[in-house]
Every structure is written in C-alpha cells, then in structure tokens.
Amino acid sequence: MAENFSIEHSRTKITEVKKTIEDKKQKLDELKQQKKSLMDAGLALDSSNLDSAVQATLMESINDSLRDVENKAYDVSKDANQNLQSLEQIRQNVDDEITDSQKAKKKLDQTRKLLDTLGVGKSLEKGVNKLDDHLQEATGLKGEVISAMQDLEKVYRQLDQI
C-alpha cells in the first residue's frame, strides 16, 4: 500500500479545505453584491443630469472600485486553485492507495485459497477483513474529496465571472 498514506490525515486535510470553501462562498457572495452595487451606481450615474466633468470623475471612481473587486476575486480564485491542487493530490494518493490495496487483497485472497487447500486459510480471515475495511474507507474518502473538488470548482468558476 502507498507509503506514508493516512486516511485520517487525508480526511483532516479535506475537512480543512471544506471550511475554506465556505469562506470562499461567503467572499464570493460579498464580491457579487459589491459588483452589482457598483454596476447599479454606474447605470444611475450614466442617466443622471450631473455635470459631465463630475460624472467622469465619479465614473472613474466606480471603475477603480470595480477593478478592486476584480482583484479581490482574482486573489480568492488563486487561493481556490491552490485548494483544488491540494484536493487533486489527495485524490491521486487515495486512488494509489485503493489500487495498492486491491492488489494486496488479490494476493492475500490467492494466498488464502492456497492455505485453504491445506486447511489453514482461516488464519488470514482477519487480515482480509481488515483490508476490506481499509478499501471501503479509502473509497469513501475518494467520494469526499471528489465532492469537495466539485464544490470548490463551482466557486472557482463563479469567481472567474466577476
């Protein structure tokens, strides 16, 4: 099985990333609201009867604020991308662990069949069960990481639209 792999350590990392996803969702909502408010202000300013020099100055200020919102969205997006890379690495480690565990189980099953012919195959039953449990946990973990990745990718795509 994969060297230095720990289901608990991976699960902890996934939980940490999930917490940051919620923070990113909140920041996304704030940035969307800020952008909408600024766009509304720009439209209102455009249809106002203000002096053109004053209007131009205010529009420049609104545009500066919009760029600031875009920059903040970029920073959050960059952080989200790093989280995606971390999750992708965890997913790859889990896949490797599942593959290694399946190979080990296959070997163990073959060994048990051989030992069954000698009447001592039952001694490997505990090891087979432990390996089955490990495979089940790793498969569940893979589901968790995929779910977190999908959630984060959704936020990432929305940030790119700001």
Side-chain angles (χ1 to χ4, degrees):
M1 288 178 276
E3 195 173 312
N4 297 324
F5 177 81
S6 164
I7 287 178
E8 284 309 310
H9 177 72
S10 297
R11 187 166 280 130
T12 299
K13 297 276 269 179
I14 293 168
T15 300
E16 289 170 4
V17 171
K18 283 181 179 179
K19 287 177 186 172
T20 70
I21 292 172
E22 292 308 312
D23 294 341
K24 285 172 184 51
K25 284 180 181 178
Q26 183 178 351
K27 188 68 174 172
L28 172 64
D29 290 342
E30 290 170 10
L31 292 170
K32 280 182 178 179
Q33 184 57 45
Q34 288 175 8
K35 182 178 180 179
K36 182 185 180 325
S37 296
L38 289 165
M39 296 298 283
D40 290 347
L43 289 173
L45 182 62
D46 196 38
S47 63
S48 72
N49 293 329
L50 292 174
D51 177 65
S52 61
V54 172
Q55 204 173 14
T57 301
L58 291 173
M59 193 57 84
E60 186 178 324
S61 177
I62 289 171
N63 286 333
D64 287 345
S65 295
L66 281 169
R67 277 190 289 280
D68 186 47
V69 167
E70 289 172 0
N71 289 336
K72 287 177 183 175
Y74 174 78
D75 290 342
V76 175
S77 179
K78 197 167 126 179
D79 188 44
N81 188 44
Q82 289 174 338
N83 289 148
L84 273 172
Q85 290 175 358
S86 294
L87 289 173
E88 178 57 35
Q89 183 62 51
I90 292 169
R91 189 196 58 76
Q92 184 59 52
N93 290 345
V94 170
D95 281 345
D96 292 347
E97 182 67 15
I98 289 171
T99 299
D100 291 351
S101 294
Q102 287 170 336
K103 287 177 185 176
K105 184 178 179 336
K106 186 176 180 180
K107 275 186 174 180
L108 197 55
D109 282 339
Q110 289 172 345
T111 303
R112 186 178 70 184
K113 284 179 186 175
L114 178 65
L115 292 176
D116 277 344
T117 61
L118 301 173
V120 291
K122 275 284 191 207
S123 63
L124 291 180
E125 193 68 33
K126 187 176 180 181
V128 170
N129 290 339
K130 213 174 200 180
L131 199 48
D132 282 339
D133 291 345
H134 183 75
L135 269 167
Q136 190 173 13
E137 269 192 274
T139 302
L141 186 63
K142 182 177 178 177
E144 286 180 45
V145 75
I146 288 171
S147 174
M149 288 176 76
Q150 290 169 340
D151 213 12
L152 189 56
E153 285 169 347
K154 184 178 175 184
V155 172
Y156 185 74
R157 282 191 301 273
Q158 290 178 13
L159 283 165
D160 281 348
Q161 295 173 358
I162 290 181

